[in-house]
Amino acid sequence: MSQFSFKQFTITQDESAMKVGTDGVLLGAWCRVDASVRRILDIGTGTGVIAIMLAQRAPEAHITGVDIESVDEARRNAAASPWGERLSMVQSPVQEFGAGEEFDLIVSNPPYFLDSLKCPQKERTTARHTDSLSFGELCEAVARLLSPEGRFAVVLPVNEGRKFVKTALSFLNPVRCTEVKTTPRRGAKRVLMEFARLDASSPSADFVRDELVIGTGEHECYTEEYKALTRDFYLKFD
């Protein structure tokens, strides 16, 4: 059995194509959660790891995970966590999900390979290629499901992040961006982005850009910023 243990829960990942990885953990720890967040949606929930992280961070919120693939494993992971009563997993294309519903926070670690060669494993291909969920379809779904003052947070490789922003501007207003470097001397590999609705009261002038470095450059040594961000989850950080 393949498992990944966090401080307060364990993720079983035998069935899901995409295993627990740095991208998802970064997103689950980075997205802003405050007392006003009562309904959260995780698009492309996979193992359910981001949804479960948010259940830990937002004790008053109900979190829904949605995925075009089977959510059986995510349901089992949610039920085994301390917050199972506040977690729901739904198998559905997000394009068809949630008529009339609104969420205060939407998160996604979405498929991002636009034109690359495809993996022979069908499930992994679906998880990482945009065939089943294009950037435009994702943005359209978010704009439809986001509450008036809600926020949308997403993680992508840097190049795909630039393409995503171009698409998102027709639907959403960027408000925050964190470029992620593995070490100080390497260029950014990932970008964490937060968006609001186009008609939200927060103006684009409030846009914030910053940087997060994961490692110091020495083997198994992490920056204080990265440890502070993920300390509530990773066993390796006391």
Side-chain angles (χ1 to χ4, degrees), residues 11-80:
I11 295 295
T12 299
Q13 48 186 1
D14 292 319
E15 299 170 12
S16 298
M18 299 309 299
K19 312 305 182 186
V20 173
T22 302
D23 287 7
V25 175
L26 279 171
L27 181 62
W30 176 86
C31 62
R32 290 190 285 190
V33 176
D34 59 33
S36 67
V37 174
R38 295 303 180 95
R39 297 198 67 201
I40 301 173
L41 177 65
D42 174 23
I43 298 174
T45 196
T47 62
V49 61
I50 299 173
I52 296 170
M53 289 178 69
L54 292 172
Q56 177 180 327
R57 292 186 60 201
E60 302 299 323
H62 182 90
I63 300 92
T64 301
V66 62
D67 205 308
I68 193 171
E69 300 294 331
S70 171
V71 294
D72 290 346
E73 190 165 61
R75 284 174 178 154
R76 291 192 294 271
N77 285 329

Side-chain angles (χ1 to χ4, degrees), residues 42 64 78 104 157 186 207 215 226 229:
D42 174 23
T64 301
D104 305 308
R186 294 182 180 271
F207 182 80
Y226 180 66
L229 182 66

